[in-house]
Amino acid sequence: MFSTDQFLMLIAFFFIIGVLTTKFSSRFGIPALILFIGIGMLAGSDGLGLIYFDDASLAQLIGIFALVIILFEGGLSTKWATIKPIAVPSLLLATVGVILTSLIVAVAARFVLDVTWLEGMLFGAIVGSTDAAAVFAALKNHNISEKLGATLEAESGTNDPMAMFLTLSFITLLTTDRVGFLSVAGDFFIQMGVGLAAGLLLGKAASWLINRVNLESSGLYPIIAMGFALLTYSLTAVVGGSGLLAVYIAALVVGNSDLTYRHTIFSFNEGFAWMMQLGMFVILGLLVFPSELFQLEIIIQGLFLSAVLILLARPAAVFLTLIGFSYSLREKLLVSWAGLRGAVPIVLATFPLIAGLPNAQLFFNVVFFVVLTSALIQGTSIAPAAEKLGLTGPKKVTPFHSLELVSIGKANAEIIEYTVNEETKVIGQTLSDIAFPPDVLINAIIRGETLVTPYGETTIENGDILYILVSKKRKKDLKTLLGERRSVPED
């Protein structure tokens, strides 16, 4: 048993090693989830024996908490203008695509695992959805075309609710005789409808509150945002809706709203999502016992079901779902190959364990093996496949500048960042010629990689990034001056 000091030291090593593995992951193309899970398996009782962990309920709690944070961060960073053109096909992939994938895998699981048809359907539902954490991480630093990147991110952000719904529904059908398929179908529309409505409502409420509350420190605004994420999930789930869908929709609303302290909120949530991803995968790694996982029978079953999922079920679901949409053969091939499985199937595999189903441990081990196979084979080859198929876009550029927003709540003012573009009214004008409203001051201009100190004769150029100090009562005037509909946050 660890003392408090030893336990904290162990946690510190987990965090440091986990963060350092992300560098190793990006350099060698190995998905971070494999490395994080490996850390958990190494620290577990079948590895170094540092930690004995077999609490499926606690793992599920940590997993769902982490998924809420990861989905929220993914939704925040998703631009509505980017996903709007592909919203319908992404939604179909997240619903019809998951059902088709689950059905095909269920047939294979029925015979490979020698289980009942209903149990086969449960297994198919568990592995039916792509994983938001894995997809967001895989696409973050790769220059896959914007259309396909948006399709994959929108699909992975919205298909978790379908997979969870199907999993819980089949567990209910297996454990009780009082529920029929018609009742399950009715529950689906209720859960998704409530989730959508709750996400829109609470997303707007979060945006309104963030822009109006006047806090003493900018560091408190991300806490409000995170609190709303957890509130959105829990409140929606309590009233019978899909909490995961609500979280993603709320994050889309918040992320596409004009926010006070946007950089602070986004930076905090990105870091916190990485921390939760690390913690979740380590816990899931601890939960599995390698001596049980790497048995010949499990390996054979896992490899066969992985092949069915990757080479048959996913492509069939993608090609059938995208009939009639403007996706080329090459694009459909890449979408098929990029259907990464990750933490979600493993978390869903804990539900049968908690329910005490007869084949629950078998399902968990095989699902774990399928996830490892998907991550190793698909996760390491998405970027090369996109390049081979000619589906790469412009190289993603990481800005060389950074901005720390200072809380000046007592002065009722804030510093905002604004990027000049073709629609900006003041482009080509000098600062002395621009009739700025009172209480507005250009503090700095970033031009390319250069910091420009603003003075009267400085000319505003396309692509300039302006850092503007403005009192809250003058933000609307500044918005009118710049001439864009969404240039400055609303009060």
Side-chain angles (χ1 to χ4, degrees), residues 289-304:
F289 291 85
S291 59
E292 297 178 3
L293 179 65
F294 296 111
Q295 294 180 8
L296 181 61
E297 184 178 11
I298 296 295
I299 293 174
I300 294 173
Q301 292 171 333
L303 286 174
F304 186 86

Side-chain angles (χ1 to χ4, degrees), residues 63-90:
I64 292 177
F65 180 84
L67 288 176
V68 169
I69 301 302
I70 292 166
L71 278 174
F72 190 70
E73 192 273 333
L76 283 179
S77 58
T78 300
K79 296 180 180 179
W80 173 243
T82 302
I83 68 168
K84 184 178 179 180
I86 49 82
V88 174
S90 295

Side-chain angles (χ1 to χ4, degrees), residues 331-342:
E331 289 174 329
K332 291 176 183 177
L333 287 172
L334 185 62
V335 172
S336 300
W337 189 251
L340 285 175
R341 268 57 189 177

Side-chain angles (χ1 to χ4, degrees), residues 154-170:
E155 177 202 5
S156 65
T158 54
N159 68 6
D160 292 345
M162 172 60 82
M164 180 171 284
F165 170 79
L166 291 175
T167 299
L168 294 177
S169 297
F170 285 119

Side-chain angles (χ1 to χ4, degrees), residues 402-451:
S402 62
L403 172 68
E404 291 292 333
L405 295 181
V406 180
S407 175
I408 44 180
K410 292 181 180 180
N412 198 30
E414 60 188 89
I415 297 174
I416 65 170
E417 179 187 85
Y418 173 71
T419 302
V420 178
N421 57 61
E422 294 85 353
E423 298 181 19
T424 305
K425 287 182 177 179
V426 299
I427 191 170
Q429 299 182 33
T430 63
L431 294 182
S432 59
D433 292 333
I434 302 172
F436 286 109
D439 305 327
V440 173
L441 179 66
I442 306 292
N443 291 92
I445 301 174
I446 302 294
R447 183 169 295 160
E449 300 176 22
T450 305
L451 172 64

Side-chain angles (χ1 to χ4, degrees), residues 242-298:
S242 172
L244 293 178
L245 177 62
V247 167
Y248 188 72
I249 296 299
L252 278 176
V253 173
V254 173
N256 287 275
S257 300
D258 293 314
L259 291 180
T260 300
Y261 298 108
R262 168 180 289 269
H263 289 277
T264 304
I265 293 171
F266 279 41
S267 297
F268 174 86
N269 277 278
E270 182 181 16
F272 193 58
W274 269 109
M275 186 178 75
M276 293 312 303
Q277 185 174 242
L278 166 61
M280 173 176 62
F281 287 134
V282 169
I283 290 295
L284 295 176
L286 288 171
L287 188 62
V288 71
F289 291 85
S291 59
E292 297 178 3
L293 179 65
F294 296 111
Q295 294 180 8
L296 181 61
E297 184 178 11
I298 296 295

Side-chain angles (χ1 to χ4, degrees), residues 374-416:
S374 172
L376 280 172
I377 296 176
Q378 294 173 285
T380 57
S381 58
I382 289 179
E387 189 171 345
K388 189 75 173 177
L389 292 169
L391 296 173
T392 54
K395 187 175 181 180
K396 295 183 178 180
V397 178
T398 302
F400 288 93
H401 64 279
S402 62
L403 172 68
E404 291 292 333
L405 295 181
V406 180
S407 175
I408 44 180
K410 292 181 180 180
N412 198 30
E414 60 188 89
I415 297 174
I416 65 170

Side-chain angles (χ1 to χ4, degrees), residues 10 14 37-54 282-283 285-290:
L10 184 62
F14 273 147
I37 286 176
I39 292 173
M41 295 172 68
L42 182 64
S45 55
D46 275 3
L48 298 177
L50 298 177
I51 301 174
Y52 180 85
F53 182 81
D54 63 352
V282 169
I283 290 295
L286 288 171
L287 188 62
V288 71
F289 291 85

